[in-house]
């Protein structure tokens, strides 16, 4: 069961979600009101002006005639537009108004400048003017357009615009009601979302705490179908692998205890192994727990940050999984549980294949790998295990290549044996560390090894495989780098 502090943190997440959601609703509502009051009038006015211009263009196209075209009649009816056409002496010719004389008087007043105090000009061209006028007689405001047509006739177009203010007011009242209902719905939704969001995170936190105590029987049982579900499944996979590893180790220890001659050595190896495993697992488990708690406490409050937290946890789980698999391999090699199956194989082809598989890793590190040997070189060995040796040595070289960032692989024949050498440019290994680099979990540069996900087991596996073939391996420092080598028995072609 979650403790009281955990429950308080859950409540804190709910409060944060509520504040975010309410803040978003308020922001949208204020934005709508500002847009409504600040831009609706201009938009409405522009639409009306465009309608007047459209009628004006239609009148110009129609030219003379006693009647308006059907398109003009339809446009004026839809836009509530009054139209007046007069001759050059301002005598009404055609009109959609019931009082064309009154409109012609106003048109003449605009032309002569008698009504300048009653209108505000919005737009003026060589042929027409758009203005807002105050109709004192009717107590209304009009959007008007007047001027001369191409045939010399005068025209006046007008449409009332007083309904805009009332429309904005009514819309605002409606939005206030919708806003109040939205707040109620948002609060109910926040409660549901927060419960669903915090429950799997709390479960993951409890799971990580049990794993930090090496209790690998813990299982994640959520079904949220998102990144958290993937994280939980990785936890389960990691628990299974670690549980299998511990089971295999216990079985190995029980078998070793039956041999009295090896009892002391087995006890020492078991103690050393458990100490090293506990030390190696401590950092990734602590990171997983820390980032899982961060997700639960909503430290990552955006999708990008949450994805980063999940990536870190998945990466650390992968490192732990890799460590477990390497430990299993080394355990089988050291105790003779994985026999060597000798066969004749082409060493040149094997090395070329490994280089091809690891070319992407080398490109990402900016490292150049050269292997000039092209002739077939046949050797005796377990080609599957020798491939693992080459992979480990090449991977180690890529991760430690520096300065010129180059790797050179060479084959030399020496009295019935083939010597494979992997050289990488960079800093030499300190002399005090040369004899210890083959030991399990030993790392010359712990920070750098941690950075690329190394565990300090790869070279131990190399040594165990090579010695299992009855051959030798070693390392040599140069001024500009380090060279690792191993030998195999050569098989001459028939």
């Amino acid at each position: 069961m979650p403790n009281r502090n955990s429950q308080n943190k859950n409540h804190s997440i709910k409060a944060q979600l509520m504040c975010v959601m309410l803040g978003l609703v308020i922001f949208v509502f204020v934005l709508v009101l500002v847009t409504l009051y600040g831009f609706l009038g201009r938009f409405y006015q522009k639409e009306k002006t465009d309608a007047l211009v459209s009628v004006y263009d239609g009148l110009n196209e129609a030219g003379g005639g006693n009647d308006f075209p059907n398109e003009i009649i339809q446009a004026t009816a839809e836009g509530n537009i009054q139209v007046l056409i007069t001759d050059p002496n301002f005598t009404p010719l055609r009109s959609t108004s019931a009082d064309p004389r009154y409109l012609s008087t106003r048109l003449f007043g605009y032309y002569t400048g008698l009504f300048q105090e009653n209108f505000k000009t919005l737009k003026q061209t060589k042929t027409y003017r758009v203005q807002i006028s105050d109709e004192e007689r009717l107590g209304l405001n009009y959007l008007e357009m007047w001027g001369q047509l191409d045939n010399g006739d005068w025209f006046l177009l007008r449409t009332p615009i007083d309904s805009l203010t009332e429309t904005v007011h009514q819309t605002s009242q409606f939005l206030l009601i919708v806003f109040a209902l939205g707040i109620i719905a948002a609060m109910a939704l926040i409660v549901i979302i927060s419960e669903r969001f915090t429950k799997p995170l709390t479960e993951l936190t409890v799971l990580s705490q049990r794993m930090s105590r090496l209790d690998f029987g813990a299982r994640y049982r959520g079904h949220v179908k998102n990144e958290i579900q993937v994280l939980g499944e990785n936890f389960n996979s990691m628990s299974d692998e670690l549980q299998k590893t511990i089971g295999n180790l216990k079985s190995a220890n029980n078998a070793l205890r039956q041999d009295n001659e090896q009892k002391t050595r087995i006890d020492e190896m078991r103690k050393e192994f458990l100490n090293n495993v506990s030390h190696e697992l401590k950092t990734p488990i602590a990171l997983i727990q820390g980032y899982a708690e961060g997700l639960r406490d909503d430290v990552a409050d955006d999708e990008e940050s949450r994805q980063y937290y999940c990536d870190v946890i998945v990466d650390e789980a992968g490192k732990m999984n890799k460590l477990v698999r390497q430990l299993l391999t080394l355990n089988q090699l050291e105790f003779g549980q994985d026999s060597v199956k000798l066969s004749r194989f082409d060493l040149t082809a094997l090395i070329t294949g490994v280089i091809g598989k690891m070319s992407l890793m080398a490109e990402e590190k900016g490292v150049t790998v050269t292997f000039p040997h092209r002739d077939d070189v046949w050797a005796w060995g377990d080609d599957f295990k020798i491939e693992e040796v080459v992979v480990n040595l090449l991977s180690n070289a890529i991760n430690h290549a520096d300065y010129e960032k180059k790797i050179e692989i060479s084959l030399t024949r020496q009295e019935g044996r083939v010597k494979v050498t992997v050289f990488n440019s960079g800093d030499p290994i300190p002399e005090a560390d040369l004899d210890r680099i083959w030991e399990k979990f030993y790392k010359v540069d712990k920070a750098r090894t941690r950075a690329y996900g190394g565990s300090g087991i790869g070279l131990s596996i190399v040594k165990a495989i090579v010695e299992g073939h009855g051959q030798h391996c070693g390392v040599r420092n140069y001024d500009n780098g380090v060279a690792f080598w191993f030998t195999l028995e050569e098989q001459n072609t028939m």
Side-chain angles (χ1 to χ4, degrees):
M1 295 295 291
N3 57 31
R4 181 174 298 178
N5 292 334
S6 174
Q7 294 174 352
N8 290 337
K9 291 178 181 177
N10 291 342
H11 293 163
S12 177
I13 292 176
K14 294 178 183 178
Q16 293 177 21
L17 288 175
M18 183 175 294
C19 290
V20 171
M21 293 291 290
L22 290 178
L24 181 60
V25 172
I26 293 173
F27 171 76
V28 172
F29 177 72
V30 172
L31 181 62
V32 170
L33 285 184
V34 171
T35 303
L36 185 66
Y37 281 106
F39 299 98
L40 183 59
R42 298 179 185 178
F43 176 79
Y44 180 82
Q45 180 177 292
K46 182 180 182 302
E47 290 293 312
K48 288 291 186 179
T49 301
D50 291 343
L52 295 179
V53 173
S54 178
V55 173
Y56 164 74
D57 292 338
L59 291 174
N60 264 330
E61 292 178 3
N66 296 324
D67 296 323
F68 292 121
N70 291 333
E71 293 82 0
I72 300 298
I73 295 175
Q74 182 178 358
T76 56
E78 292 177 354
N80 192 19
I81 300 173
Q82 296 178 6
V83 183
L84 171 68
I85 304 296
T86 72
D87 60 18
N89 296 321
F90 297 99
T91 301
L93 297 177
R94 299 183 299 279
S95 178
T96 60
S97 172
D99 192 359
R101 288 289 179 185
Y102 173 74
L103 293 183
S104 65
T105 301
R106 293 193 67 85
L107 178 58
F108 179 76
Y110 293 150
Y111 174 72
T112 59
L114 295 176
F115 298 150
Q116 288 186 358
E117 70 281 359
N118 294 330
F119 66 84
K120 175 183 178 182
T121 301
L122 300 179
K123 181 180 180 182
Q124 184 172 356
T125 68
K126 294 180 179 180
T127 56
Y128 64 81
R129 174 182 292 178
V130 180
Q131 63 191 25
I132 295 177
S133 66
D134 182 10
E135 185 67 75
E136 296 180 354
R137 188 183 72 165
L138 301 176
L140 296 174
N141 290 325
Y142 284 86
L143 180 65
E144 296 180 329
M145 180 179 181
W146 64 274
Q148 273 189 307
L149 299 174
D150 293 344
N151 63 1
D153 291 340
W154 290 90
F155 74 93
L156 173 64
L157 308 177
R158 62 183 341 211
T159 181
I161 58 174
D162 273 326
S163 60
L164 176 61
T165 303
E166 183 179 356
T167 301
V168 172
H169 178 69
Q170 292 175 349
T171 303
S172 300
Q173 289 182 332
F174 175 74
L175 287 177
L176 284 173
I177 296 174
V178 172
F179 176 71
L181 296 176
I183 290 293
I184 297 175
M187 291 180 66
L189 185 62
I190 287 171
V191 173
I192 297 174
I193 293 176
S194 62
E195 286 291 338
R196 185 172 182 179
F197 181 74
T198 57
K199 183 177 179 181
L201 291 178
T202 301
E203 184 177 349
L204 281 175
T205 300
V206 174
L207 178 60
S208 65
Q209 290 173 344
R210 293 180 61 182
M211 291 186 64
S212 68
R213 298 190 294 269
L214 301 182
D215 179 7
F216 300 116
R219 306 289 298 176
Y220 175 76
R221 306 186 184 280
H223 299 284
V224 291
K225 296 182 179 180
N226 56 21
E227 291 87 349
I228 298 178
Q229 178 67 26
V230 175
L231 177 61
E233 291 174 354
N234 286 330
F235 267 95
N236 292 342
S237 176
M238 182 173 59
S239 296
D240 291 340
E241 290 294 332
L242 292 173
Q243 195 168 14
K244 291 178 181 178
T245 301
I246 292 177
N248 291 334
L249 292 173
K250 289 181 178 179
S251 298
N253 285 334
N254 288 333
L256 289 172
R257 290 190 186 96
Q258 296 175 3
D259 189 349
N260 294 328
E261 296 179 357
Q262 299 181 359
K263 184 177 183 304
T264 302
R265 185 175 66 89
I266 293 174
D267 288 340
E268 291 299 325
M269 292 180 64
R270 178 176 59 83
K271 292 177 182 179
E272 178 187 2
F273 176 81
L274 291 177
N275 288 335
N276 288 327
V277 168
S278 299
H279 177 74
E280 291 296 324
L281 295 182
K282 181 179 180 181
T283 298
I285 290 178
L287 284 173
I288 290 172
Q289 181 178 356
Y291 277 88
E293 290 176 350
L295 287 173
R296 183 199 62 187
D297 298 340
D298 204 27
V299 172
D301 56 356
D302 58 89
E303 185 63 25
E304 182 178 357
S305 298
R306 286 192 292 271
Q307 185 64 44
Y308 171 75
Y309 274 48
C310 290
D311 289 344
V312 171
I313 295 175
V314 171
D315 182 60
E316 293 301 321
K319 291 178 181 179
M320 295 174 67
N321 192 22
K322 177 182 177 182
L323 172 63
V324 169
R325 287 188 281 106
Q326 288 184 326
L327 287 172
L328 286 173
T329 300
L330 185 59
N331 182 67
Q332 292 173 345
L333 290 170
E334 289 183 338
F335 291 95
Q337 297 175 356
D338 195 2
S339 59
V340 176
K341 301 176 182 178
L342 297 178
S343 63
R344 178 175 173 268
F345 68 97
D346 185 359
L347 188 56
T348 301
L350 184 147
I351 295 174
T352 302
V354 172
I355 294 174
K357 293 177 184 179
M358 303 186 68
S359 59
L360 181 60
M361 177 181 177
E363 291 175 1
E364 291 177 347
K365 298 283 189 177
V367 176
T368 302
V369 181
T370 59
F371 178 55
H373 207 91
R374 292 294 178 268
D375 297 332
D376 295 344
V377 176
W378 298 91
W380 280 107
D382 189 325
D383 58 342
F384 179 81
K385 290 184 172 60
I386 296 303
E387 181 178 1
E388 186 172 1
V389 170
V390 177
V391 167
N392 281 336
L393 291 181
L394 183 54
S395 174
N396 183 72
I398 291 174
N399 287 315
H400 288 85
D402 210 340
Y403 305 122
E404 297 178 352
K405 287 187 175 295
K406 67 177 183 179
I407 295 175
E408 298 174 357
I409 302 177
S410 60
L411 293 177
T412 55
R413 293 181 171 91
Q414 298 177 344
E415 300 178 353
R417 286 183 172 80
V418 181
K419 183 177 182 181
V420 181
T421 304
V422 180
F423 169 85
N424 67 271
S425 61
D427 293 326
I429 299 174
E431 292 295 326
D433 297 317
L434 281 176
D435 294 333
R436 301 195 60 191
I437 59 174
W438 309 100
E439 298 176 8
K440 295 188 294 290
F441 301 105
Y442 189 79
K443 304 170 186 177
V444 176
D445 187 344
K446 295 183 179 180
R448 184 167 187 173
T449 305
R450 173 69 185 169
Y452 67 79
S455 60
I457 301 177
L459 292 179
S460 300
I461 294 177
V462 168
K463 183 178 181 181
I465 292 177
V466 172
E467 290 181 349
H469 283 70
Q471 298 297 318
H472 305 284
C473 60
V475 60
R476 181 179 177 183
N477 278 330
Y478 291 88
D479 293 338
N480 61 337
V482 179
F484 284 86
W485 57 268
F486 68 94
T487 62
L488 289 174
E489 182 180 355
E490 183 180 12
Q491 172 62 43
N492 296 323
T493 55
M494 300 298 294

